[in-house]
Amino acid sequence: MASTEIARQAGEGARAVPLAGHVGFDSMPDQLVNKSVNHGFCFNILCVGETGLGKSTLMDTLFNTKFEGEPTQHNQPGVTLKSNTYELQESNVRLKLTVVNTVGFGDQINKEDSYKSIVEFIDAQFEAYLQEELKIKRTLHSYHDTRIHACLYFIAPTGHSLKSLDLVTMKKLDSKVNIIPIVAKSDAISKSELAKFKIKITSELVSNGVQIYQFPTDDESVAEINSTMNVSSYHTPFTPMTRSHLPFAVVGSTEEVKIGNKMVKARQYPWGTVQVENENHCDFVKLREMLIRVNMEDLREQTHTRHYELYRRCKLEEMGFKDTDPDSKPFSLQETYEAKRNEFMGELQKKEEEMRQMFVQRVKEKEAELKEAEKELHEKFDRLKKLHQDEKKKLEDKKKSLDDELNMFKQKKTAAELLQNQAQQAGGSTTLKRDKERKK
């Protein structure tokens, strides 16, 4: 805490002193440029728009190359994000370009949750960078930064107004990424319709509170050109709108057509030819100028200092970190950690005590259940034992009764046999007497 205060006071009390001669630290910008060139640059573009609006073709046209890719179908069950990274080199400058395409966006019947996968993807890139920052051993100098620097939002050239899907999606994305709206395939509507359409789009964005990317005007070298691109005031029924090129009305094509004595990128139609790099035909040149040649570094800086910082702040606040204590005094990371640790340990002890009490209560309940079950088993055993004894007694009584009947039957049988023998003997003697009497 004390060291932080001393450092702050030292910074506030710095004095300007003159130099007696050349020192050499004026070469710092050159050193920075050389280091940056040697390290290379990265730039990540997110293309959001319905299938068939020419997102892939525009990327090919912007970077004057042919990125591999297959046309997507209109039968996707949901929105998926497809990311491709390419190594580009122009002169001695290397650029690692990542193009992220929203496959299946706007193809579903129910488009209510179409934006969710895009928001989740952007947050996932922020989270990956935050986790790298929070590591004890960081490698940010070699880390491949995948945070989205620019979102080219492709608007269908309906000539009427923005679709509800476009408004909802841009509103969900404006706090997470630099949005640059684009009227895709602008050669599909007439010039007068296109001018009215651009005014209508701008008016709807403002009325719905959608914050699109504002080109920086604080640097004198680009202030003039950027100020003509930004919308400085919006029209109402009583006030006209200052002329602006946003949203950019673009046409993309990689086909080269001979116009006069030179070959140009163009789209040929039965009624004529639309030249991609002709500023009277479309805003492609202005888009390329603003996106790549003038403001690419500002887009990277805005992503880090504005959108990522917002995500980082919210995440750290969720984790319990804060800059000041309740008395508005500076809070060091160590103090924050100790406070959070004490809070966590308190909650842990509280939960441990609750779990212990719950365990004791459940043990008592279980013991009571077991005693009740044991009592029921004893009662059931006694009932079964008594029933067994009664059955045994009945069987013994029945056996005795049967034994008595058997003995009686045997007695009767013996008596009957005796009588039968006596009768047979009596009958035999009578027959002998008769035979003797006959002989006489």
Side-chain angles (χ1 to χ4, degrees):
M1 186 74 172
S3 60
T4 306
E5 187 65 25
I6 292 172
R8 185 181 295 107
Q9 291 175 359
E12 292 174 353
R15 293 180 299 130
V17 295
L19 300 178
H22 182 262
V23 176
F25 58 79
D26 58 352
S27 65
M28 283 290 292
D30 296 331
Q31 297 176 35
L32 183 61
V33 168
N34 293 333
K35 184 178 180 180
S36 298
V37 169
N38 291 332
H39 185 265
F41 301 89
C42 73
F43 193 69
N44 307 318
I45 300 177
L46 171 65
C47 298
V48 182
E50 299 176 6
T51 307
L53 287 181
K55 299 186 291 294
S56 300
T57 303
L58 184 63
M59 288 297 101
D60 293 345
T61 312
L62 271 174
F63 291 94
N64 199 22
T65 186
K66 180 65 177 177
F67 299 120
E68 70 273 7
E70 298 178 357
T72 56
Q73 304 298 322
H74 290 266
N75 54 1
Q76 299 293 330
V79 181
T80 56
L81 281 85
K82 185 177 180 182
S83 177
N84 292 301
T85 302
Y86 310 95
E87 292 280 355
L88 306 179
Q89 182 164 349
E90 188 175 36
S91 298
N92 63 334
V93 178
R94 291 179 293 108
L95 176 67
K96 183 179 286 187
L97 175 69
T98 300
V99 179
V100 183
N101 195 8
T102 52
V103 180
F105 182 79
D107 292 343
Q108 297 75 35
I109 296 176
N110 183 5
K111 303 177 178 63
E112 184 177 355
D113 298 332
S114 295
Y115 68 88
K116 286 187 177 180
S117 57
I118 304 174
V119 172
E120 290 171 358
F121 179 85
I122 296 173
D123 285 345
Q125 313 316 307
F126 284 153
E127 182 64 26
Y129 193 87
L130 178 61
Q131 291 302 321
E132 182 65 27
E133 267 193 342
L134 295 177
K135 285 182 180 178
I136 296 175
K137 186 177 180 181
R138 301 185 297 181
T139 55
L140 289 174
H141 62 281
S142 60
Y143 176 75
H144 179 207
D145 186 4
T146 57
R147 295 173 297 175
I148 300 300
H149 300 125
C151 171
L152 300 183
Y153 197 97
F154 289 70
I155 302 169
T158 60
H160 302 292
S161 62
L162 285 171
K163 299 178 181 179
S164 58
L165 172 63
D166 298 328
L167 283 172
V168 170
T169 304
M170 281 193 273
K171 185 63 179 175
K172 294 292 182 180
L173 296 179
D174 65 357
S175 63
K176 298 178 179 294
V177 70
N178 302 310
I179 300 177
I180 301 176
I182 291 173
V183 180
K185 296 186 175 181
S186 61
D187 54 341
I189 53 179
S190 65
K191 267 194 171 183
S192 59
E193 289 175 335
L194 181 59
K196 294 177 182 177
F197 188 40
K198 292 172 73 171
I199 293 173
K200 180 69 173 174
I201 291 172
T202 306
S203 175
E204 289 184 344
L205 291 176
V206 174
S207 62
N208 287 278
V210 178
Q211 300 293 323
I212 61 175
Y213 173 69
Q214 293 294 305
F215 299 105
T217 57
D218 51 352
D219 186 351
E220 293 181 359
S221 61
V222 295
E224 184 177 354
I225 185 172
N226 281 344
S227 61
T228 61
M229 298 295 162
N230 289 330
V231 178
S232 57
S233 62
Y234 299 94
H235 80 296
T236 66
F238 307 101
T239 60
M241 187 186 82
T242 303
R243 176 173 173 78
S244 169
H245 291 289
L246 287 173
F248 293 109
V250 299
V251 177
S253 176
T254 56
E255 297 178 6
E256 292 194 345
V257 179
K258 189 172 183 180
I259 304 293
N261 295 325
K262 61 179 181 177
M263 301 295 290
V264 296
K265 289 183 174 64
R267 297 184 70 90
Q268 285 187 312
Y269 295 97
W271 44 263
T273 303
V274 177
Q275 299 178 35
V276 172
E277 295 179 321
N278 188 330
E279 295 191 42
N280 293 321
H281 291 184
C282 69
D283 297 333
F284 173 81
V285 172
K286 295 182 179 66
L287 171 63
R288 183 177 61 190
E289 193 80 10
M290 293 296 99
L291 178 66
I292 301 175
R293 300 182 179 179
V294 177
N295 298 302
M296 180 178 277
E297 180 55 31
D298 183 73
L299 287 164
R300 286 159 42 89
E301 184 180 343
Q302 285 290 319
T303 298
H304 183 75
T305 59
R306 180 187 169 197
H307 301 297
Y308 170 68
E309 281 300 316
L310 176 62
Y311 177 86
R312 177 179 174 275
R313 186 184 70 203
C314 294
K315 271 292 180 181
L316 292 179
E317 287 176 353
E318 287 178 9
M319 296 166 64
F321 293 97
K322 48 190 175 183
D323 294 329
T324 57
D325 60 12
D327 299 328
S328 299
K329 294 181 179 178
F331 227 43
S332 70
L333 183 62
Q334 180 66 25
E335 291 173 338
T336 303
Y337 169 75
E338 290 295 337
K340 191 65 180 176
R341 184 178 182 276
N342 294 335
E343 181 184 350
F344 174 76
M345 292 302 294
E347 291 179 357
L348 186 63
Q349 291 176 356
K350 183 179 178 181
K351 287 183 179 180
E352 186 178 354
E353 181 62 24
E354 290 176 354
M355 290 180 68
R356 190 187 67 79
Q357 293 178 358
M358 186 183 296
F359 176 75
V360 172
Q361 181 65 25
R362 288 189 177 181
V363 167
K364 290 180 179 179
E365 291 175 357
K366 196 66 177 178
E367 286 179 349
E369 289 177 3
L370 290 173
K371 287 181 180 179
E372 185 68 25
E374 185 180 6
K375 183 180 178 182
E376 290 178 358
L377 284 172
H378 281 299
E379 291 177 353
K380 187 176 181 181
F381 176 75
D382 292 339
R383 287 196 304 270
L384 289 173
K385 186 178 180 181
K386 187 175 183 303
L387 182 63
H388 174 70
Q389 290 175 350
D390 292 343
E391 289 291 332
K392 184 179 179 181
K393 186 177 180 182
K394 286 180 182 179
L395 288 173
E396 288 176 351
D397 293 344
K398 192 170 183 180
K399 180 184 178 185
K400 184 179 180 182
S401 176
L402 289 173
D403 288 341
D404 293 343
E405 288 180 4
L406 181 61
N407 292 332
M408 189 177 292
F409 174 74
K410 286 180 178 180
Q411 290 175 3
K412 287 181 180 181
K413 181 181 178 183
T414 304
E417 288 177 349
L418 182 61
L419 289 173
Q420 187 177 1
N421 291 334
Q422 291 177 355
Q424 287 178 354
Q425 290 176 1
S429 61
T430 304
T431 305
L432 290 173
K433 288 180 180 180
R434 287 178 182 172
D435 290 340
K436 287 179 179 180
E437 289 177 357
R438 285 177 186 172
K439 287 180 180 181
K440 291 179 178 181

